[in-house]
Structure formats: C-alpha cells, structure tokens
Amino acid sequence: MKGYAMLKIGESGWIEKERPSCGPMDAVCRPLAVAICTSDVHTLWEGAIGERHNMILGHECCAEVVEVGFLVKDFKPGDRVLVPAITPDWNSLEAQAGYSMHSGGMLSGWKFSNFKDGVFSEFFHVNDADGNLAHLPANISPVDACMLSDMVPTGFHGVELADVQFGDTVLVIGIGPVGLMSVAGANMRGASRIIAVGTRPVCIQAAEGYGATDFISYKNGSIEDQVLAMTSGKGVDEVIIAGGDCETFVSAIKCLKPGGKVGNVNYLGNGTYVTIPRVEWGVGMGHKQINGGLMPGGRLRMEKLSSLVSAGRLNVHPLCSHIFEGWDHLEEALFLMRDKPSDLIKPVVKLSD
Ligand code: NDP
Ligand code: ZN
C-alpha cells in the first residue's frame, strides 16, 4: 500500500509499505477523509518527538472499516467510523487509573504517527476497535468528521483542564483550530467573557462565531498588559493555552487570578524549560494550578462529542478552511499547515463521499 511518511526529520514523501494485519481485537480501516494537524508539523519539521524513519504521518481521519479481528463485537467491514487521534489500550493500568492517554507510558495512548504508522495511508491499523472507534452519525460528513479526531476533543480538553465554571472570564491563548474549539467549549460551559489571543483574521472571525467576546494580539505588546488593562487589573479565572511556546506560561500566570487554573493543550515543540514567574505565582503560594494534558481519546468521548455535532449544538465546518480532493493534494495540504497562510484554519483532504 502507499503511505505518506516522515522519512527523517525535515523530509517526507510517499513510500510503499505492507498493509497492516489485524489482531483479534483490532480493525484495519481505509480513510474517507484526512486532516493535517499542527502536531504533524512539530513531528516532521521540528523533530519534537525525536527521529522517526519511514513512519507514516497523520492521526486525524474518518474511515471505513475494511477488516476486523474475531473478538471485535460492534464493528464490521463497511462500517463508517470516527477515529480518535488517541487510541489507548483500555485494559492498561494507566487507563484504569483514569489516564487512558498515558496507557503504556507517558503519551503512549497517542499511537498514530508516534509509535506506529499513522492514517495518511491507503489502510491503517486501529488497536482495540470496540474501545476506540465510534460509528459515524449519518448527518456528519467525512470532512467534518475529521474535526472530531483531535480538534474538538483537544480544544474541549483544554476547557476541562482549566475547569471553566458558569460566569467565568476565560483567556484562550491561541485561536488556531484547537483554540477555536476551546472557545466553543468554554462558551458551552457558561463562560461570561472569553478573551481570545491570535492574529489571523479568519481565526478571529471564527472565534467570534464560537463565542469569543474580546480579542487581543500577542504582537501588540504583552498579553498580560492587555488582559489586565481590559479586566481592571483583576485578571481572569482561567487560561487555556492552545498556542505560543514555553514563555507563554509567563503571560498565563500573570493573567490568572489567585485560585485560577491553566489548562494547556499546546504541544511544546522546542525549548528546555517552561517558565513560571515566581512573584506572580504568589511566590509559590498563589493557588494558581497548571494542568497540561493530551486528550483522552477513545470511543465514549467520540460518541459524546459527535452527538454535539449531529444534534446541531456545535458546527465544526467553519474550521475546514481548505478542502482538497484526492491523495495527490495531501502534500500540498501538509505544506500549507506548516506555512500557515493568513486565510488558513485547517486543511482537509477528502478521499471518498
Ligand atoms: P495553530 O498554529 O493553528 O494556532 C496557534 C495559535 O497560537 C494561533 O492563533 C497563533 O496566532 C497563536 N500564537 C502563535 N504564537 C503565539 C504567541 N507567541 N503567543 C500567543 N499566541 C500565539 O495551531 P493549532 O490550533 O492547530 O494547534 C495548537 C497546538 O495544539 C499545537 O501546538 C498542536 O500541536 C497542539 N495539539 C495538542 C493536542 C493535545 O492533545 N494536547 C492535540 C492536537 C494539537 P496567529 O493567529 O498569529 O497564527
Ligand atoms: Zn492532531
């Protein structure tokens, strides 16, 4: 089969590989549509998870089941499925402890394009099919369904990590597709004010549609000066970080009220230390919590989040700013995600209806 792979750090291309085989609890699927993620950019060009040779990229897709193992109960060949980016081993001790995303070791629930071949391929393998796949609701298109692999669950996980409460003022740093879903999630959780940080006009417009009430640019002076000025010096109840770098935590802590929470879902692609400002962290006693997490993955989460889309409570289509048709456009879509032109939110490649 053909797959689009990371050949080594900084180099990618199409390669031939053997079609994956199916264990008793697994499935082999073929993508109906795939989406490119900023994480693919970190992995391929920044080498953020280290060297990988001939590893097929991609972890966001919607698919058709081609083959299932003899122990799989709820899926059969021909079923159209949602595929989470994170596919934990549900019988692991980490999953039993509530940290499915770390099943088998830190971040090891993230298997596609990390520990095994990803989904930019004619066929791909899914472990624990009953625990990880979800049936695709009939009223969600394959293109929109790709947003449920990672963008919705990760953006919403930022909201969970920050623990947004009714009436809160929330700062969302970064309004690419992940941060946009954090804006939408914070809005659903009942935030009264959502301050969004970003510059791409298309993202600002989308953020407004998802419920952001105020906008600032990290290019117009420090985030903290702007946020403190617009909150009469009080700061915000929660900060969700979905963009920036190791230094962004300085702004987050400075903007946060005592007792507030940071929910980070940003993938820190480089740097050695995350900086926490001592004084604004209450000299260690400010009760400002910092939570950072990979999204949990798995079937239940896919079913619950897709129900928001199929019920019309969440429209993910505005995220899909660039829709291509056919594998021939995959590379173009990947390079777009690296270059982030001002009209880009998310590139998606449709392969089938
Ligand atoms: P984008 O690059 O599309 O968006 C990043 C956002 O951050 C943009 O709004 C950008 O602004 C803003 N930004 C850039 N630099 C700064 C800065 N110095 N200070 C503040 N804001 C800044 O990324 P995605 O939305 O696709 O992904 C966000 C992050 O989430 C990525 O690191 C990605 O790898 C990670 N991720 C994490 C997952 C998880 O499970 N935890 C899963 C999936 C993704 P501008 O408008 O100027 O571009
Ligand atoms: Zn992703």
Side-chain angles (χ1 to χ4, degrees):
M1 64 172 195
K2 266 176 26 163
Y4 191 87
M6 171 170 176
L7 308 177
K8 61 179 191 176
I9 293 173
E11 260 183 50
S12 58
W14 287 99
I15 59 169
E16 280 289 332
K17 273 208 168 172
E18 233 174 80
R19 191 184 129 161
S21 57
C22 197
M25 295 170 72
D26 308 339
V28 170
C29 301
R30 80 174 175 94
L32 298 172
V34 298
I36 320 290
C37 185
T38 304
S39 302
D40 294 310
V41 174
H42 292 309
T43 299
L44 171 58
W45 281 289
E46 290 174 14
I49 54 169
E51 191 57 275
R52 297 286 191 280
H53 292 289
N54 296 341
M55 177 189 72
I56 294 173
L57 288 164
H59 53 264
E60 298 184 13
C61 77
C62 154
E64 182 185 281
V65 175
V66 173
E67 186 185 344
V68 292
F70 69 93
L71 291 177
V72 174
K73 294 192 285 287
D74 297 335
F75 298 92
K76 57 181 189 319
D79 285 352
R80 289 155 74 90
V81 288
L82 295 160
V83 184
I86 308 301
T87 52
D89 295 315
W90 288 98
N91 61 0
S92 66
L93 295 181
E94 292 88 352
Q96 290 179 29
Y99 290 94
S100 54
M101 65 296 267
H102 303 300
S103 62
M106 190 157 65
L107 307 182
S108 296
W110 173 24
K111 298 183 189 308
F112 294 130
S113 67
N114 185 7
F115 294 113
K116 70 173 187 185
D117 282 328
V119 305
F120 294 167
S121 178
E122 286 176 283
F123 301 98
F124 65 92
H125 169 267
V126 180
N127 58 295
D128 197 350
D130 282 325
N132 283 317
L133 295 174
H135 291 284
L136 173 67
N139 65 351
I140 302 180
S141 71
V143 164
D144 285 2
C146 290
M147 300 304 108
L148 284 156
S149 289
D150 199 1
M151 297 301 94
V152 180
T154 296
F156 277 50
H157 193 47
V159 178
E160 292 165 334
L161 292 171
D163 196 20
V164 174
Q165 305 291 321
F166 298 127
D168 281 352
T169 297
V170 183
L171 172 66
V172 180
I173 301 181
I175 47 168
V178 171
L180 286 171
M181 289 300 94
S182 294
V183 169
N187 194 32
M188 280 188 187
R189 279 270 183 113
S192 60
R193 191 174 186 192
I194 302 175
I195 305 169
V197 181
T199 67
R200 275 177 276 161
V202 66
C203 295
I204 292 170
Q205 196 185 0
E208 198 163 12
Y210 286 123
T213 53
D214 303 78
F215 298 89
I216 61 176
S217 162
Y218 60 95
K219 294 180 181 167
N220 287 348
S222 81
I223 294 173
E224 56 272 28
D225 286 352
Q226 297 181 71
V227 168
L228 291 172
M230 68 201 325
T231 56
S232 312
K234 288 197 173 76
V236 300
D237 298 294
E238 292 96 18
V239 181
I240 299 168
I241 304 181
D245 54 28
C246 293
E247 292 298 313
T248 304
F249 290 78
V250 175
S251 300
I253 293 296
K254 288 184 175 177
C255 290
L256 204 56
K257 290 180 191 171
K261 290 180 186 163
V262 174
N264 177 75
V265 286
N266 195 23
Y267 173 166
L268 299 169
N270 46 52
T272 308
Y273 296 105
V274 168
T275 313
I276 308 299
R278 181 182 64 87
V279 172
E280 290 82 357
W281 202 42
V283 292
M285 298 177 281
H287 288 104
K288 297 189 181 185
Q289 289 182 40
I290 303 168
N291 297 312
L294 180 68
M295 67 93 160
R299 176 175 181 173
L300 179 66
R301 194 168 178 84
M302 286 292 98
E303 289 184 351
K304 287 200 178 194
L305 293 177
S306 66
S307 74
L308 290 174
V309 178
S310 57
R313 297 261 291 128
L314 174 67
N315 179 9
V316 293
H317 199 66
L319 299 181
C320 309
S321 62
H322 290 61
I323 302 172
F324 298 92
E325 289 211 21
W327 283 121
D328 289 350
H329 293 280
L330 184 82
E331 187 164 76
E332 185 183 348
L334 178 69
F335 281 57
L336 259 185
M337 199 54 166
R338 178 191 64 183
D339 299 340
K340 302 258 159 85
S342 60
D343 62 342
L344 182 92
I345 301 183
K346 191 87 175 166
V348 187
V349 181
K350 184 176 155 189
L351 303 162
S352 198
D353 282 322

